[in-house]
Amino acid sequence: MLNQLRYLFSQDVGLDLGTATTIIYVRDKGITLRQASAVAIEKDSGHFIAIGNEALELLGREPEGIEVILPVRDGVIHNFEITCRMLEHFFAKALAGSFGHPSLLVGVPAGTTVIERRAIYEAASYLDISEVFLIDEPLAAAVGAGLDIHQPHGSMVLDIGGGTADISVISLAGTVYAYSMPLAGDAMDQAIIDYLRHEHAFLIGQRTANRIKHCLGSAPTESNSYASKRSCLTIGGRAISSGMPATLELTGEDIQKALLPLLKKIARAVTDTLSDLPPEIVNDIRDSGVTLTGGGSLLKNLAAYLNEETELSMKRAKEPLECVVLGLQTLVDHMDTIRNRQGRDIHASVPLSVTSRARAA
Ligand code: ADP
Ligand code: MG
């Protein structure tokens, strides 16, 4: 009875703690926070100078004595103390004006280790949140993408986020297969930096690479190779030969060449996955195709490229950046069902062999 009374006044909250972006959903209020998972600190004192988008703006242009820290790596807490302090700030903003005790549902990558899960419970306890549930992100993303996860039908979700691309197969509301690769948005930015250094002897920073990816980036398909030659962008950086600031004109084709090796590896991982799965599930996936989620799936022509390479139909979710939080929203709106379950982890066990392979990638 006491418990029921307590939850009557609880504030149900969903947290998507992404490598690139943190999104918070508060029941009956909607999405109340969407900020870069970044913090700028004064190195000597440890004081926070900026948090979230403002901190990310400083990346690559930090004044002396200031460091920008991205405390979430590959979707899990990498720097515990900084993550806790960052979340404290985000929760204060997201829950401003709310009363009651927050109950938290957090999306975690499939294959998250026991220690990584414990870090989330400890962070929650730092934030004075006593009720915490974890759910596999692919399940939340699938719900957010509108898939019916309760069907006895295998569905494949490919989530391309900031740090990792995660291939998951879901059936009967459980993750039956998970494979994670460090080949996602950040790796695309790095591939652009490396390509310009090697092919054009030209140096750029991470922020410029990210801007190029957004403006000019695309995956090469038979139909878009002509268009990519015509689109161009002039960028600023440093010529290696002179060491001086310079400009360079880039074409879409340059960026396709830069991204191609990485995109090939993602496509290869999808086809390799099929050979690891039982034939019935492979048939299901051949019938219904693959759902693409995560910000990286917004790369132009990616779905068409992956379709050409894998011969599977690829459907990008309507709101790829928000699939996880939209899924969390659906679940948070039924928090009582979650409360009445046994255990705090809402996930089916991922085969160990798959998990270790994923972590070794
Ligand atoms: P995470 O869940 O890891 O925080 P997100 O799903 O938010 O990641 O995706 C972030 C990644 O998506 C970043 O690397 C960002 O550069 C990339 N991204 C966002 N929009 C686009 C776009 N239009 N084209 C290509 N990449 C994009
Ligand atoms: Mg994500």
Side-chain angles (χ1 to χ4, degrees):
M1 179 65 184
L2 260 182
N3 250 0
Q4 276 167 355
L5 268 181
R6 181 182 147 184
Y7 294 133
L8 198 61
F9 296 106
S10 80
Q11 189 75 59
D12 297 334
V13 177
L15 169 66
D16 173 8
L17 182 61
T19 308
T21 311
T22 298
I23 311 181
I24 296 179
Y25 167 77
V26 182
R27 188 171 175 177
D28 299 330
K29 282 191 166 180
I31 293 174
T32 53
L33 182 124
R34 189 186 284 100
Q35 288 281 330
S37 309
V39 169
I41 65 162
E42 200 174 55
K43 283 189 210 162
D44 286 345
S45 64
H47 284 149
F48 280 18
I49 303 297
I51 305 175
N53 297 346
E54 230 180 276
L56 192 67
E57 280 299 315
L58 291 173
L59 189 68
R61 47 172 84 103
E62 299 95 324
E64 206 166 283
I66 306 287
E67 185 184 6
V68 175
I69 299 178
L70 307 176
V72 182
R73 197 168 292 172
D74 300 348
V76 294
I77 296 176
H78 179 70
N79 184 326
F80 183 77
E81 195 208 323
I82 302 285
T83 305
C84 285
R85 289 171 62 195
M86 177 182 84
L87 285 177
E88 192 174 27
H89 176 85
F90 286 166
F91 273 90
K93 271 185 128 174
L95 291 170
S98 299
F99 300 103
H101 208 82
S103 293
L104 191 60
L105 178 64
V106 191
V108 293
T112 301
T113 64
V114 174
I115 293 168
E116 290 161 345
R117 283 169 195 270
R118 201 174 299 143
I120 295 187
Y121 294 128
E122 278 169 21
S125 125
Y126 173 93
L127 296 166
D128 216 12
I129 296 170
S130 54
E131 196 185 35
V132 188
F133 302 96
L134 307 188
I135 181 165
D136 280 357
E137 264 173 17
L139 283 182
V143 173
L147 298 182
D148 183 354
I149 60 165
H150 296 283
Q151 291 296 319
H153 177 96
S155 310
M156 185 184 278
V157 176
L158 169 57
D159 180 276
I160 306 179
T164 57
D166 298 289
I167 300 173
S168 316
V169 178
I170 290 158
S171 179
L172 276 173
T175 311
V176 294
Y177 181 97
Y179 182 65
S180 176
M181 313 161 263
L183 300 171
D186 296 346
M188 290 185 201
D189 299 346
Q190 190 58 45
I192 293 171
I193 294 174
D194 294 344
Y195 179 86
L196 294 186
R197 182 189 293 134
H198 293 132
E199 300 299 320
H200 293 279
F202 197 77
L203 296 180
I204 56 165
Q206 208 178 331
R207 306 266 305 149
T208 306
N210 189 273
R211 193 168 61 87
I212 296 170
K213 177 179 73 178
H214 278 73
C215 299
L216 203 56
S218 68
T221 55
E222 277 167 24
S223 52
N224 84 343
S225 63
Y226 176 67
S228 67
K229 275 183 193 137
R230 291 200 326 169
S231 55
C232 27
L233 182 73
T234 304
I235 55 150
R238 188 182 298 277
I240 291 179
S241 53
S242 63
M244 297 299 285
T247 57
L248 179 72
E249 183 152 313
L250 286 175
T251 66
E253 200 185 15
D254 280 315
I255 306 311
Q256 288 185 345
K257 283 185 187 156
L259 298 180
L260 188 60
L262 182 151
L263 299 179
K264 266 195 170 89
K265 284 185 194 159
I266 296 178
R268 179 75 193 272
V270 171
T271 44
D272 283 354
T273 297
L274 294 185
S275 54
D276 284 350
L277 293 171
E280 285 78 8
I281 292 197
V282 173
N283 281 340
D284 292 344
I285 295 168
R286 286 203 189 285
D287 280 352
S288 52
V290 179
T291 303
L292 298 179
T293 64
S297 71
L298 286 166
L299 183 78
K300 280 185 215 82
N301 291 312
L302 185 66
Y305 168 82
L306 290 174
N307 169 249
E308 279 178 16
E309 292 291 306
T310 63
E311 294 177 6
L312 293 171
S313 79
M314 297 276 160
K315 280 171 282 184
R316 193 171 70 201
K318 247 197 207 154
E319 305 282 354
L321 284 161
E322 300 198 339
C323 281
V324 170
V325 79
L326 290 175
L328 292 176
Q329 168 173 349
T330 305
L331 296 157
V332 162
D333 288 347
H334 298 90
M335 202 68 152
D336 289 337
T337 320
I338 293 173
R339 265 187 203 111
N340 293 334
R341 290 174 57 105
Q342 293 288 311
R344 298 189 293 183
D345 283 15
I346 310 162
H347 71 106
S349 57
V350 177
L352 260 186
S353 57
V354 174
T355 308
S356 49
R357 200 180 113 196
R359 289 288 159 203

